């Protein structure tokens, strides 16, 4: 097994004490120029890399922030991670990104890992609808901020988008285009985002004097393109197919679009489609996709900033005021929903 170069090896090679090497690494201005140069030469020659984990344990503060999202295969969460990473980097921290894959079991395992690693704090998009994983994580007293989810109480901060308003934007747009029979391709019913977008869709229908039966829900177990293709196949099998589809995210919408294209169904002439998130691929689709835009990068950055504020106050006599930040979505209209009826 290869020998790991330690601080004692550097001290021996440079002919100085371990304390002097430590000072060169952490407080170089306190070491004479010639001695500092000799130590740095030994570090370079031996390939020494200091143990950041050991330093963190001594200091009692990690330089790592955890980020646990539902699906890193979804570009929306990639953008959330970009925003969080940018804010963390400006504060001199790194981000450990993990993917629960919408699984409460995997979520629990990653939360345990964060606790073992004593991360500075955690940004979390919950996969467990029961809240048991969050309750279990609280006992570790590690600060966390909910992302893309509104905090139920005042025990933690959250940054989210008003998904009820977003669902209403999407369906109101379809109603204004003349549609009166609309499908909602949803997702796992345990996800708050899925339920809130449906609530918004029903709100828009009620505003137009239409009952809930005007919205036909097509549930899916996942929020990916394959699930969207499956939902599209089910829509194609309906005798009284709706004239428009609102999808809980863009990946589902792209899958529905693929299914329609393969079956020769025109979009938007035969079926209008609206997605949600406005990921980069939405505008680049074969038929550019109308979508409800979420400010994902901003969401990630704001969540990280709230977490940093809380961790900076940890161990002081100053209380951290927990905040619930709710951002507003925006409808971006493209070709997939523009056919007049």
């Amino acid at each position: 097994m290869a020998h790991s170069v330690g601080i004692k090896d550097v001290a021996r090679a440079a002919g100085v004490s371990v304390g002097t090497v430590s000072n060169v690494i952490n407080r170089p201005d306190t070491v004479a120029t010639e001695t500092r140069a000799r130590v740095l030469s030994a570090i370079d020659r031996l390939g020494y890399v200091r143990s950041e984990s050991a330093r963190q344990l001594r200091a009692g503060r990690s330089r790592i922030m955890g980020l646990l999202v539902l699906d890193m295969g979804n570009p929306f969460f990639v953008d959330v991670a970009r925003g969080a990473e940018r804010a963390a980097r400006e504060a001199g921290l790194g981000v450990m990104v993990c993917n629960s894959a919408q699984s409460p079991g995997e979520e629990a395992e990653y939360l345990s890992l964060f606790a073992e690693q004593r991360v500075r704090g955690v940004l979390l998009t919950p996969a467990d609808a029961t809240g048991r994983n969050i309750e279990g994580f609280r006992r570790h007293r590690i600060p966390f901020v909910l992302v893309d989810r509104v905090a139920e109480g005042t025990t933690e901060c959250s940054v989210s988008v008003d998904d009820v308003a977003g669902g209403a934007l999407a369906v109101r747009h379809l109603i204004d285009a003349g549609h009166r029979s609309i499908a909602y391709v949803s997702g796992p019913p345990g996800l708050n985002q899925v339920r809130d977008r449906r609530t918004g869709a029903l709100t828009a229908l009620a505003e137009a004097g239409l009952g809930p039966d005007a919205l036909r829900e097509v549930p899916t177990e996942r929020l990916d393109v394959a699930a969207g293709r499956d939902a599209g196949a089910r829509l194609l099998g309906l005798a009284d197919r709706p004239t428009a589809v609102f999808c809980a995210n863009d990946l589902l919408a792209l899958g529905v679009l693929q299914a329609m294209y393969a079956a020769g169904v025109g979009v938007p002439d035969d079926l209008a489609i609206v997605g949600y998130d406005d990921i980069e691929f939405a505008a680049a689709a074969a038929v550019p996709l109308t979508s409800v835009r979420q400010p994902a990068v901003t969401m990630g950055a704001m969540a990280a900033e709230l977490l940093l504020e809380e961790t900076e106050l940890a161990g002081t006599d100053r209380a951290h005021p927990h905040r619930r930040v709710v951002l507003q979505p925006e409808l971006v209209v493209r070709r997939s929903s523009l056919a007049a009826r």
Side-chain angles (χ1 to χ4, degrees):
M1 182 181 293
H3 171 64
S4 177
V5 177
I7 194 169
K8 291 181 180 179
D9 299 308
V10 175
R12 190 179 304 112
V16 299
S17 68
V18 169
T20 298
V21 177
S22 178
N23 285 336
V24 169
I25 295 170
N26 298 298
R27 297 178 295 278
D29 293 341
T30 66
V31 183
T33 302
E34 182 180 342
T35 303
R36 187 168 67 241
R38 194 162 71 249
V39 171
L40 290 174
S41 175
I43 287 173
D44 182 61
R45 186 170 66 254
L46 297 174
Y48 168 74
V49 177
R50 70 174 176 178
S51 173
E52 181 64 16
S53 60
R55 188 193 73 81
Q56 290 173 9
L57 286 172
R58 289 193 298 271
R61 284 174 70 80
S62 171
R63 293 182 58 245
I64 297 297
M65 177 187 298
L67 171 63
L68 181 55
V69 299
L70 291 176
D71 181 11
M72 280 305 294
N74 186 339
F76 166 75
F77 287 111
V78 175
D79 286 343
V80 169
R82 282 176 48 216
E85 191 273 338
R86 184 175 64 196
R89 187 175 64 247
E90 290 175 356
L93 303 182
V95 178
M96 180 192 298
V97 182
C98 298
N99 176 27
S100 72
Q102 303 173 40
S103 164
E106 292 191 34
E107 176 182 83
E109 291 176 6
Y110 279 122
L111 289 175
S112 294
L113 175 64
F114 290 151
E116 291 171 7
Q117 295 296 316
R118 302 184 188 181
V119 296
R120 177 76 64 93
V122 174
L123 305 177
L124 170 65
T125 303
D128 178 20
T130 69
R132 283 193 292 266
N133 286 342
I134 289 178
E135 286 302 318
F137 187 67
R138 281 197 179 100
R139 72 176 185 270
H140 298 293
R141 300 184 182 278
I142 296 174
F144 65 93
V145 173
L146 299 180
V147 185
D148 197 30
R149 163 87 174 270
V150 178
E152 301 285 331
T154 58
T155 54
E156 57 267 333
C157 294
S158 66
V159 182
S160 62
V161 167
D162 189 339
D163 282 319
V164 175
L169 279 175
V171 173
R172 198 176 292 129
H173 166 69
L174 292 171
I175 292 170
D176 290 344
H179 297 281
R180 295 296 180 269
S181 177
I182 301 169
Y184 176 44
V185 176
S186 58
L191 294 180
N192 285 27
Q193 299 92 327
V194 168
R195 295 198 302 267
D196 287 349
R197 291 165 197 179
R198 180 179 183 275
T199 297
L202 292 173
T203 299
L205 290 170
E207 290 172 353
L210 299 172
D213 55 347
L215 187 72
R216 182 176 302 184
E217 186 164 359
V218 182
T220 64
E221 293 185 358
R222 305 199 49 91
L223 292 163
D224 55 25
V225 174
R229 284 196 296 266
D230 176 71
R234 282 182 277 159
L235 285 168
L236 288 167
L238 296 176
D240 54 342
R241 190 169 66 222
T243 62
V245 178
F246 166 43
C247 298
N249 76 358
D250 285 341
L251 296 182
L252 289 173
L254 291 171
V256 171
L257 179 61
Q258 289 179 6
M260 296 304 122
Y261 182 81
V265 175
V267 175
D269 294 328
D270 299 320
L271 186 76
I273 301 175
V274 175
Y276 205 104
D277 290 338
D278 195 35
I279 62 175
E280 183 178 356
F281 300 125
V287 179
L289 187 66
T290 294
S291 184
V292 178
R293 175 179 294 165
Q294 296 199 81
V297 174
T298 299
M299 190 185 305
M302 292 186 71
E305 289 163 4
L306 286 175
L307 186 60
L308 289 167
E309 287 176 15
E310 182 168 359
T311 58
E312 287 303 316
L313 292 177
T316 72
D317 56 1
R318 296 169 58 197
H320 172 71
H322 291 294
R323 287 188 282 158
R324 294 192 301 174
V325 178
V326 180
L327 305 173
Q328 291 303 307
E330 173 190 359
L331 181 71
V332 180
V333 178
R334 299 191 181 94
R335 172 104 178 103
S336 70
S337 65
L338 284 180
R341 300 196 69 79

